[in-house]
Amino acid sequence: AQSVTQLGSHVSVSEGALVLLRCNYSSSVPPYLFWYVQYPNQGLQLLLKYTTGATLVKGINGFEAEFKKSETSFHLTKPSAHMSDAAEYFCAVSDRNAGNMLTFGGGTRLMVKP
Amino acid sequence: EPEVTQTPSHQVTQMGQEVILRCVPISNHLYFYWYRQILGQKVEFLVSFYNNEISEKSEIFDDQFSVERPDGSNFTLKIRSTKLEDSAMYFCASTEGQFLAPQHFGDGTRLSIL
């Protein structure tokens, strides 16, 4: 069975500061990993994904994440936070042995202070 | 950019009543999914659907739930006899491929059971 843990249900940063959202996963097979963002009253929008190849992946809105197998981590970062980044962020792992179902972490609500 | 659309955005239903949630996946996508998110909890997988049959389903997806693709565009989730604990946000997702292609999510239907 796969699982995802996101450390910190709420993260608050100042505008212009580094954003770091943590994600650790457990998977019995090489994982496919995803970060999704959810703005209020909207669905889940894909930020970035890791499947194979380069371990540092870049996504939309200046976000990137690094897959570290030894640490079973896939942390999301952005060098400089913007007010529009305030949202809920979900890390997910895909189970290729079960129809590609996504297992999500509990989510991290990012707040950006002016 | 094509998107997954879900209707209605909010559904209020009396306990014990049947409810049908509707989704129009992206037109060239072949794999379809339902997830739910109870307020304050994780996004949870319900069911995946491919080639007009269920590929995988979770423990949540019991006999009260069913899915159908009644025509070439719609994908529906039916709950036969709703319970209070069915109150949640329900998300539909679709993908063109099973593994490497990311899932695209709709904005969700908020289901409130009274």
Side-chain angles (χ1 to χ4, degrees):
Chain A
Q2 304 190 299
S3 66
V4 176
T5 302
Q6 291 183 240
L7 290 177
S9 58
H10 291 80
V11 170
S12 181
V13 301
S14 297
E15 191 173 20
L18 171 71
V19 175
L20 171 59
L21 305 183
R22 299 177 187 275
C23 171
N24 288 89
Y25 68 91
S26 170
S27 176
S28 56
V29 298
Y32 290 163
L33 295 158
F34 305 84
W35 276 99
Y36 283 87
V37 60
Q38 184 181 33
Y39 297 102
N41 300 315
Q42 294 186 25
L44 299 163
Q45 180 183 1
L46 180 71
L47 271 180
L48 49 77
K49 64 174 182 176
Y50 168 79
T51 53
T52 58
T55 57
L56 180 64
V57 292
K58 296 185 185 299
I60 62 172
N61 302 338
F63 285 92
E64 60 183 38
E66 186 171 11
F67 168 62
K68 292 188 176 180
K69 183 179 178 181
S70 61
E71 299 178 6
T72 61
S73 69
F74 190 56
H75 301 330
L76 182 70
T77 60
K78 181 174 180 177
S80 176
H82 192 272
M83 296 296 290
S84 61
D85 294 327
E88 184 125 26
Y89 292 80
F90 293 93
C91 182
V93 62
S94 169
D95 188 344
R96 285 170 285 159
N97 292 329
N100 200 31
M101 58 173 275
L102 292 175
T103 299
F104 285 87
T108 297
R109 183 166 299 279
L110 175 66
M111 294 167 284
V112 182
K113 299 175 291 187
Chain B
E1 183 178 329
E3 56 184 32
V4 176
T5 56
Q6 290 185 243
T7 55
S9 57
H10 191 188
Q11 174 79 46
V12 181
T13 301
Q14 292 288 332
M15 186 172 60
Q17 295 296 305
E18 175 183 286
V19 67
I20 297 176
L21 308 183
R22 302 181 190 280
C23 169
V24 179
I26 295 173
S27 62
N28 64 333
H29 286 189
L30 301 175
Y31 298 84
F32 313 112
Y33 306 83
W34 283 102
Y35 294 83
R36 79 171 186 190
Q37 185 181 27
I38 295 172
L39 187 63
Q41 298 186 24
K42 290 184 178 185
V43 177
E44 302 171 289
F45 168 78
L46 292 178
V47 66
S48 60
F49 191 86
Y50 168 71
N51 199 26
N52 280 320
E53 59 183 31
I54 291 173
S55 307
E56 297 288 339
K57 60 182 181 179
S58 70
E59 293 176 352
I60 303 167
F61 194 88
D62 61 22
D63 292 344
Q64 293 298 314
F65 291 88
S66 62
V67 289
E68 191 178 32
R69 188 157 164 80
D71 53 43
S73 59
N74 289 284
F75 179 51
T76 62
L77 174 69
K78 181 193 291 186
I79 309 175
R80 287 189 186 81
S81 178
T82 51
K83 303 186 281 286
L84 292 176
E85 54 264 38
D86 293 327
S87 295
M89 181 73 92
Y90 289 79
F91 292 106
C92 174
S94 69
T95 182
E96 57 185 326
Q98 189 171 17
F99 297 127
L100 296 183
Q103 294 178 26
H104 295 259
F105 285 77
D107 284 345
T109 292
R110 181 169 300 284
L111 178 62
S112 300
I113 308 299
L114 304 179

